[in-house]
Structure formats: C-alpha cells, structure tokens
Amino acid sequence: MKVRSLFFFRLGNALRLARREIRGGLSGFYIFLACIALGTGAIAAVNSVSRAITSSIATQGQSILAGDVRFELRNREASPDELAYLDNLGTVAVSTGLRSMARLADGSQQTLAEVKAVDGAYPLYGKLESDPAMPLPQLLARQGEAYGAVVAPLLLERLGIKRGDEVLLGNVRLKISATLVTEPDALSDGFGFAPRLLISREALATSGLIQNGSLVEHAYKIRLNDTARRSGITEEANREFPSAGWSIRTSDRAAPSLTENVNRFSQFLTLVGLTALIVGGVGVANAVRAFLDSKRTTIAALKCLGAPASVVTLTYLFQIAFIAIIGIAIGLALGAVTPLVAMRFLEGVLPVPDELAIYPGALFMAALFGLLTTLAFAILPLGQAREVPATALFREQGFEANRLPSWPYLAATGLLLALLASMAIYSAEQRYIASVFLGAVAFAFIVLRLVAWGIRAVAKRSPRVHSAALRLAIGNIHRPGALTPSVVLSLGLGLTLLVTLTLIDGNLRRELTGSLPERAPNFFFVDIQGADRDGFKALVQKEAPEGTLTEVPMLRGRILALNGQDVTKMEVPAAGRWVLRGDRGITYAQTMPDNAKLTEGTWWSGDYSGEPLVSFAAEEAGELGLKIGDSVTVNVLGRNITAKIANLRDVQWESLSLNFVMVFSPNTFRGAPHSWLATLADPSATAAQEGEILRKVTASYPTITTVRVKDALDLVNSLVEQLATAIRAAAAVALIASVLVLAGALAAGNRARTHDAVILKTLGGTRAMLIRAFSYEYMMLGLATAVFALLAGGVSAWFVVARIMKLPSSFLPDVAIATILIALVMTVGIGLIGTWRILGQKAAPVLRQTGE
C-alpha cells in the first residue's frame, strides 16, 4: 500500500512539473511535430483512401456487378438445363464480351474495340448514361440496314468520325447513336485495352464474330428473387452442375481483383509512410536530446533538490508524449481530409463514397504507429539524461550520445520497436513482403551506423592537410558529439528509398519503351478460324515477306483442381493466385516450342496417345507447389480434363512471344473446336507498313482481331506513369522527412557550433574561412551518404526488378548523378542556412556564458 502511494505521489509530481514546463511553449519541437505529423498523416491518408475505395466497392456491389450474382462462361453459352437453372434464380440479363476490329466502310481506318453485346434487361442495377440520354434499347435498335451502337468517345477519336456515322464490325454495319458516359459494370468486367463498343446481341449474331473457338465471354447477371440465397449460390450451382466450368461472382465481391490491387498498393504506400515515420523517429530522438540538453540546468536543479531520477524521467516523458499527441492529431486531421481531396480525382475512375466518411480504423492504426515511433525513439535520450549526474550537468558537459542508458531503457526500446514491426506485419496483406521490407529498414539502420563510424574513422586517420578550412571540416566530422551519425542516418534512409523507387521506375520504363518493343512482335492476331488460316498466312507473307509468322492453336480453360483438391478451398501464395483466377489461355503442341527450355522432366513423343499430359511453367508450378507427376484438372468448353504434369518449362514472359502456363499433349484436345493465335515479328517494318498490314488483314478477314503491340505498350506505359506518380509522391514524403530530420540534427548541434565559431573568430578566423570549413564538412558527409544510398538502393532495386518482377535490371547513371546532386544540395544548403545565423553571433555574450 505504501509503495503504491509513493508511486502515485511521484506520478502526480511529474505531471505537475510537466504541466508547468510545457507552458513555456513548443520552441525546439517544431521539427519533432513536423516529423510525427508527416509520417502519421501519410499512413492515415493512404489507409483512409484505401478503405474509402474498398468500402465503396462493397456497398455499391450490385451496381458494380449490375446484378446480385454473375455467372461467366468462356467460349460457350449456357446449355438449356443451365439456362433453366439461372432463370429459376431470378431475372437474368445476358451479355457477351469480346475484342474485335471496328473499321470504316472504305477501309481507311480501323481500331481495336472492346465489344459488349447486351440484351433488353441490361442493366439490372445501376444506370448506363449516354450522350444523348435515351433508353438503351432505343439506342441499340436496328435502323434500316444498320444496328445502333453506343461507343466510348475514344473510339470516335481514333477512327476520326462523329455521332451518326457508320462503322463495320465483322459483317455487320453499325450506326453510332450515342457516346458512352458511364457504364455501371465496367469495373467488374475488368481492364480493357481498347475503347468500349456497346451493341445488341442481335447485332453481334449478325456480325459473324461468334464461331467455334472464338475467344468470347458470356456473362449471365441475375437479380435474385431471394437475396438470401446469395451467400450459398456458388456451392449450390457447382453442386448442381459440377462440369459447367463457370466462374461465379456475387455482389459482395463485385470486383475482387480491383479490391486486391487497391489493398496491395495501399500496403506498399503504408510501408513507405512507415519508413518516413521511422526516419522521422531519428528526428524525434535528435529533438528530444537537444531539448533535454537545453534543460540540463533544470534537471540538475531538480536532482539537487532531491527529485528522484524516476520523477525527472517521467516529467520529460509526459512533455514529449503531450507534444507527440499534438503532432499525431495534426497528422490524423490531414489523413481524415485526404479522402475528400482524393475522391475528386478518382471519381469516374474508381468507386468512391457518396459522402465524406471518417475511417476510425485507419486513423487509429496511424495514431498507434505515431505513438509507438515517438516512444521508441524518445526513451534512449531520456535514459541517457537519467544517467548523467547533476555535477556534470552544472559543468556544462551535456549528454554523451555514445553512452548507452541502463538495461530497462534498452529493453523498453526493443519492446516498442518489436511492437511497431509486429503491428506493421500483422496489418499487411502480404506479410512476407512486409517482413522483408522492415528487415531491410532495420538492416539499413545498422549499416548506416557502421557507415557513420567508418566516415569518422577515416576522417580521424586522414593525413594532415595544409588548408585550415579543410582541416577544420575533417576535425568536425570525427570530434566527440559530431553530427556525423545523425546526418548519415537521416539522409541515408530517405535517399536510399528514393534511389530504389527511381531505379524501379526507370527500369520499368526502359523495358516498356526501350528493349521490350525491340524484342516484342509487331502484331498479335486472335480468333483465326481454321477455314481462314491458309488465306491469312498467304496475305501476311505477301505484305511482310521479311517477317516471321508464328501460329499456335488457342483454347481457353480454367483450373478447377490441383491433385484432386478444389482450388477455391486452397491457400495459395499471392504470387501464384493469378494462374487460378479466371480462364487461362492454353494450347497443345506435338513438339517442344522453340522459345521454351525444359527445367525438369521430358517432352512427350510425336506419336504419343496415352493419358493427357501437360507441360507447366516452372516458376508458376513452384508458386502453386506443383511437381512432376502431379495432376491438374482444367475445364475446357464445359468438359473437365485431368492431365498429369510431364515436365516443367522456363517461360520468359517479358519477351511477349507466344507463351502459355500450360501446354498439353495433342491427344488431349483431339477433335475439340478451337481457333488459332499468331504473332508477326518484323523488326524492319515501318509505321506505314504496319498500318497497311493492319488495314489489309482487317479488310480481308473482319472476324480476326488484330492487336498492334505498340498500341498496347503505349497504354501500359500510361498506366505505369500513373502508378509512378503515386510512388514518387510516396518517395517524396520519405525525402521530406529526411530533410526535416537533417535540419533537426543540424539545429541540435547549433549550440556546440556557436561556441566553436565564436572561439575561432576570437582567435582570428574569418567568416569566409568558417563558411568554407562548414561547406567542406557538409559536402563530404553528403557525398559519403550518396555513395551508400546508390549502393543500397541499387541492390534493393535489382532485387525487386530482377527477382520479383523477373525483368532485366540495370543501373541508370542519371539516377546516380541526380542522387549525388540532391544529397549535396540538401546537406550543404540546409547546413549553411543553419550555420549563417551562428556566424553572426556576438562573441562577448557567448564567451561570458561559457565562462560562467
């Protein structure tokens, strides 16, 4: 009881002292506040925007899906029995999607279009908006010899036409009756490489585009009579029709791929924000140390008056916590407002909430990150202050940064850092990546401390130079209490992250706009029917005699089971999920493809006629846990086929050649209807020649879909540009945190610098000499840090590009030059800005204070 009373007595005294001291204002803590507010705000903003989008996808699921449930079949329509089952569930709206070429009647222009044919019930939910606004059946109705069509404005732009003009699609004539403003189920239909062309199912039937083996998607969207059936509809439908091979999606998961991508990207940005917060933690430690150094007389007085060390420590811990709460509150306010700003830019691109909402979970997580970071980095300076005796404080000795506090403070710091890491990993969708990221940050901290120690060691052992300014600069780097560790640590983390992200961005751009187009084919030709194959080959060889035409049979199939286990009930690593999501392009081959390399197993003989065999991509097989002899069950055209894995192949996806995850033995699909897929590679072809090939093929074979690779790469490049903007913004947050910490570190050392500068001026040193000395010091620190950032960032970027993205990685010299310049500008510029005021100090007051 007595111990408890003593504890509360000391706690009350500490609170009372902290409240009195905090009345003096926040002087010296502005960088502290900025660091915490920036990191907390970044995390709160990213997670608030992410939750706004994902919650909108969930709440607007019916409109996004245009139904309560969606059944999708590839390359075939529902059988009478399947259709009867769907009709029994509720109101059905049927749509068919495919890619094909829209062209002018005179053959002068053509472009790829994402064709969507709908019936009169579409859409069941949501609203399709067009210009002019008219009922959809009226817009798509037949008008004489032509059918109505609603198109995306981009299609009109590419063909150089206007509303009221006519285009050809396959064998049907279409009249543009309106332009598309909003398509309710665009997100659930998936990403499209081409502008939308909306027509009726009657027009599609007339076009002749639907043939055996054509790559089409038939979607059956249903407004359920009983919405309570939605939760169990997938299991029920698969139980009734086990061989249907359909993909089923309900409105509570209207756009799973989009939700997953939003979560992944927000996780990445959260980790970057956490890095900024950890970098800011260094600023917290510097600010706390400088604050306690300025309070050494007060601390000495408290100790001499009998205040226990615990009371002194608690007094300043309460003050630090109070200031941290202010910084966290500022960050949370920024994070809460960010969705309001972001929604204005995202509206029309992603689902956004109808009204501004606060996301307490996102804000709480950001606040917890901010508080844990503050405490983790503030405890060590508090522990160091506790260990310094009152007599040393009165002698103006200050705090010795290299002296470690007692073990309870070290243990508390370790526990808080472990909690911080655990929270980051637990909240991440891909915990392995989060663990690697945090491990890399921790490793960078250790290495940067070693770098700082190495710089000081080299400076200490450097030969004596004749220049007084350079000699002073070298001495400043290795003297006791030097700024070297703080500057290297704060600037090193920010620059390393900046170099990593910039190199990843640069390598992606180089691959997309440089080497990839050189290796990639000029064209992909899809839906080549067997009857058109010979004529098509003759036409292409005539138009591109120097080109190489490669053909493979093409089918679509969806993996249902691995080794007899339902894939929907398997825990699959994130890297391999794409193989199991939806339908995959598959083929068969008698001999091993030229662009393949076996890594395990053997290829089947030319006359093989035994059980179905499949060659699986080696990397994807590893991600799915498959090996030679395992079985894969695939649904193709409504038939389940189980094949044994005979071999594994190395697939270079970045080549854009004809590659498949699965290549089957020819006997597997003997007699099955299918189309052909072809590529044309002609490096010498000019843009005019490519245009002529596109025009001739489209005019002669209107049902063949022609994709020019350059157009697809341009679209992908624009998407990468948008992602790069977000990544650069994230890197900028970390760099700003580094600038703040750097400024804080230099400000924390201003007191010692003031004494040094005054004494040197008294001994005859000029302001110009001192400016040169400080410039040399900051320049050497900046160069050393830039070299580390280039090495560490280069290795990190290589790992991401080469090991994770499986793309060629190279070091970019322009990034190196920019990094060095940024480092020099930051260290020299910020250092001299802070030093200029020091050099103007009058000598007498400083010397008088020192003498006292």
Side-chain angles (χ1 to χ4, degrees):
M1 191 71 178
K2 187 176 181 180
V3 173
R4 185 185 303 175
S5 300
L6 181 61
F7 169 77
F8 283 111
F9 176 75
R10 291 182 176 180
L11 189 66
N13 283 338
L15 279 170
R16 187 165 55 255
L17 290 170
R19 187 172 64 252
R20 289 176 180 175
E21 285 210 23
I22 207 70
R23 292 172 185 169
L26 303 179
S27 178
F29 276 96
Y30 296 116
I31 289 176
F32 180 131
L33 282 170
C35 288
I36 295 301
L38 182 67
T40 304
I43 295 174
V46 167
N47 284 278
S48 293
V49 172
S50 171
R51 296 194 185 191
I53 295 172
T54 53
S55 65
S56 296
I57 293 174
T59 57
Q60 301 174 27
Q62 289 178 322
S63 297
I64 293 172
L65 197 66
D68 291 313
V69 61
R70 165 190 169 127
F71 290 77
E72 183 180 298
L73 290 166
R74 296 289 183 102
N75 308 331
R76 75 175 185 89
E77 295 189 77
S79 67
D81 289 343
E82 292 167 344
L83 194 56
Y85 169 76
L86 299 179
D87 286 333
N88 185 55
L89 294 175
T91 306
V92 181
V94 185
S95 62
T96 302
L98 71 157
R99 294 187 180 99
S100 191
M101 304 301 295
R103 65 193 192 282
L104 300 184
D106 61 5
S108 60
Q109 290 289 341
Q110 56 281 311
T111 187
L112 184 67
E114 295 279 352
V115 180
K116 182 175 181 178
V118 299
D119 61 8
Y122 173 85
L124 296 173
Y125 293 99
K127 183 180 179 182
L128 185 138
E129 298 180 5
S130 63
D131 182 20
M134 296 171 61
L136 186 60
Q138 185 177 339
L139 292 172
L140 303 184
R142 187 167 183 171
Q143 306 172 30
E145 295 296 320
Y147 288 87
V150 179
V151 303
L154 181 59
L155 188 137
L156 300 181
E157 181 183 327
R158 289 184 176 179
L159 292 177
I161 58 176
K162 61 184 183 302
R163 185 162 54 87
D165 290 344
E166 294 186 353
V167 297
L168 298 178
L169 180 73
N171 300 318
V172 71
R173 187 179 295 273
L174 303 173
K175 184 175 182 178
I176 309 300
S177 55
T179 55
L180 187 62
V181 178
T182 302
E183 182 182 359
D185 52 347
L187 287 172
S188 63
D189 282 349
F191 174 76
F193 277 100
R196 173 67 79 201
L197 174 57
L198 193 66
I199 60 175
S200 66
R201 285 175 55 80
E202 183 184 354
L204 180 61
T206 308
S207 71
L209 293 174
I210 306 297
Q211 303 181 44
N212 285 336
S214 296
L215 299 181
V216 295
E217 301 173 356
H218 299 282
Y220 300 82
K221 301 177 181 181
I222 304 170
R223 181 193 286 123
L224 294 172
N225 294 328
D226 180 10
T227 55
R229 296 182 65 179
R230 187 184 66 177
S231 60
I233 197 72
T234 302
E235 292 77 11
E236 177 188 316
N238 288 331
R239 186 172 58 251
E240 292 286 335
F241 300 93
S243 298
W246 46 28
S247 173
I248 305 172
R249 198 187 310 166
T250 53
S251 57
D252 57 341
R253 297 189 72 250
S257 296
L258 176 61
T259 301
E260 186 175 336
N261 288 332
V262 168
N263 288 335
R264 284 180 178 176
F265 196 58
S266 67
Q267 174 192 329
F268 166 75
L269 293 180
T270 298
L271 289 173
V272 174
L274 181 58
T275 304
L277 193 56
I278 292 173
V279 172
V282 180
V284 169
N286 290 336
V288 170
R289 184 173 290 112
F291 171 69
L292 293 175
D293 190 39
S294 69
K295 293 288 184 178
R296 66 193 175 282
T297 304
T298 305
I299 295 173
L302 289 172
K303 287 188 174 183
C304 290
L305 291 173
S310 59
V311 172
V312 174
T313 303
L314 286 172
T315 297
Y316 292 101
L317 178 61
F318 287 145
Q319 293 183 58
I320 291 165
F322 176 76
I323 296 169
I325 289 171
I326 296 176
I328 290 170
I330 295 171
L332 294 182
L334 292 173
V337 172
T338 299
L340 178 63
V341 179
M343 295 308 110
R344 298 186 61 182
F345 294 96
L346 296 175
E347 191 172 7
V349 180
L350 293 172
V352 298
D354 298 327
E355 299 177 355
L356 177 65
I358 303 296
Y359 300 93
L363 300 182
F364 176 76
M365 184 175 72
L368 198 53
F369 273 129
L371 188 60
L372 287 176
T373 302
T374 302
L375 294 176
F377 285 89
I379 282 181
L380 285 182
L382 284 170
Q384 290 169 341
R386 177 188 175 121
E387 301 298 324
V388 178
T391 53
L393 292 168
F394 278 124
R395 287 198 297 267
E396 299 278 331
Q397 290 182 7
F399 300 122
E400 176 53 57
N402 292 326
R403 181 178 177 181
L404 291 176
S406 58
W407 71 264
Y409 291 89
L410 294 175
T413 300
L415 179 62
L416 288 168
L417 290 175
L419 285 173
L420 193 64
S422 300
M423 182 179 166
I425 294 169
Y426 178 76
S427 62
E429 182 182 349
Q430 297 185 31
R431 294 176 181 175
Y432 171 75
I433 293 178
S435 302
V436 171
F437 190 95
L438 292 174
V441 172
F443 181 72
F445 258 87
I446 296 171
V447 173
L448 283 168
R449 296 293 293 184
L450 294 175
V451 168
W453 176 84
I455 293 172
R456 296 178 71 171
V458 170
K460 192 172 184 178
R461 291 166 176 77
S462 62
R464 183 178 179 83
V465 294
H466 296 292
S467 170
L470 185 57
R471 191 163 62 247
L472 179 60
I474 295 172
N476 284 340
I477 289 175
H478 67 80
R479 65 178 173 79
L483 298 175
T484 305
S486 296
V487 171
V488 170
L489 189 59
S490 59
L491 188 59
L493 281 174
L495 282 179
T496 299
L497 184 60
L498 182 67
V499 169
T500 301
L501 297 178
T502 306
L503 283 175
I504 292 172
D505 178 45
N507 276 283
L508 281 176
R509 291 174 183 279
R510 183 173 181 176
E511 185 68 13
L512 289 171
T513 61
S515 59
L516 184 55
E518 294 175 2
R519 304 192 311 270
N522 302 67
F523 290 99
F524 280 91
F525 301 99
V526 186
D527 279 347
I528 306 169
Q529 299 299 314
D532 298 333
R533 187 180 169 200
D534 292 337
F536 165 76
K537 288 171 62 176
L539 174 62
V540 172
Q541 288 169 358
K542 177 183 176 182
E543 295 299 324
E546 302 299 322
T548 301
L549 185 68
T550 306
E551 297 177 290
V552 295
M554 178 71 170
L555 301 95
R556 301 288 294 186
R558 186 162 66 93
I559 298 177
L560 299 180
L562 301 176
N563 293 319
Q565 185 178 357
D566 187 348
V567 296
T568 61
K569 300 177 181 178
M570 295 176 60
E571 286 292 332
V572 179
R577 288 177 194 164
W578 68 274
V579 180
L580 306 179
R581 186 184 298 123
D583 286 16
R584 298 261 67 79
I586 57 178
T587 189
Y588 62 85
Q590 191 173 48
T591 58
M592 187 170 66
D594 294 336
N595 57 8
K597 178 183 178 183
L598 288 185
T599 58
E600 282 188 66
T602 57
W603 199 264
W604 44 81
S605 60
D607 57 351
Y608 178 78
S609 59
E611 67 173 315
L613 299 178
V614 61
S615 173
F616 216 93
E619 182 180 353
E620 284 68 26
E623 291 166 349
L624 296 174
L626 298 175
K627 59 185 183 301
I628 301 294
D630 288 347
S631 66
V632 179
T633 301
V634 183
N635 183 277
V636 181
L637 299 173
R639 178 186 168 198
N640 291 347
I641 298 172
T642 300
K644 184 174 73 173
I645 298 178
N647 57 71
L648 302 177
R649 290 170 294 114
D650 180 28
V651 178
Q652 301 296 324
W653 298 107
E654 68 274 10
S655 69
L656 291 187
S657 57
L658 292 177
N659 291 318
F660 295 83
V661 173
M662 294 175 287
V663 178
F664 289 82
S665 57
N667 62 311
T668 307
F669 302 112
R670 186 171 290 119
H674 63 78
S675 60
W676 292 76
L677 173 68
T679 61
L680 174 64
D682 186 0
S684 63
T686 63
Q689 289 172 326
E690 287 185 347
E692 185 65 14
I693 293 170
L694 180 61
R695 189 181 68 82
K696 289 286 183 67
V697 171
T698 303
S700 301
Y701 299 96
T703 60
I704 294 178
T705 301
T706 306
V707 180
R708 187 158 67 169
V709 172
K710 180 182 180 300
D711 296 336
L713 289 176
D714 288 343
L715 178 61
V716 172
N717 198 32
S718 67
L719 294 174
V720 171
E721 177 66 33
Q722 295 174 24
L723 290 175
T725 301
I727 291 173
R728 288 186 198 125
V733 170
L735 195 60
I736 292 171
S738 294
V739 171
L740 290 171
V741 176
L742 180 62
L746 295 173
N750 278 350
R751 180 176 172 277
R753 292 297 174 97
T754 301
H755 285 81
D756 293 346
V758 166
I759 291 172
L760 289 170
K761 286 171 66 177
T762 304
L763 296 175
T766 63
R767 175 175 290 195
M769 189 272 286
L770 293 175
I771 289 177
R772 286 200 308 273
F774 290 137
S775 298
Y776 291 152
E777 177 188 354
Y778 300 140
M779 192 176 298
M780 286 186 285
L781 290 177
L783 281 173
T785 308
V787 169
F788 166 80
L790 289 173
L791 291 174
V795 172
S796 301
W798 167 84
F799 179 79
V800 172
V801 174
R803 296 300 184 188
I804 297 178
M805 297 182 176
K806 304 297 181 183
L807 295 173
S809 176
S810 58
F811 191 80
L812 307 177
D814 54 335
V815 175
I817 295 172
T819 302
I820 291 173
L821 290 177
I822 290 172
L824 292 179
V825 168
M826 287 175 64
T827 52
V828 177
I830 296 174
L832 290 182
I833 289 173
T835 303
W836 188 261
R837 185 179 61 84
I838 293 174
L839 297 179
Q841 292 283 334
K842 299 291 185 180
V846 177
L847 292 175
R848 190 180 304 114
Q849 183 181 11
T850 304
E852 293 172 357

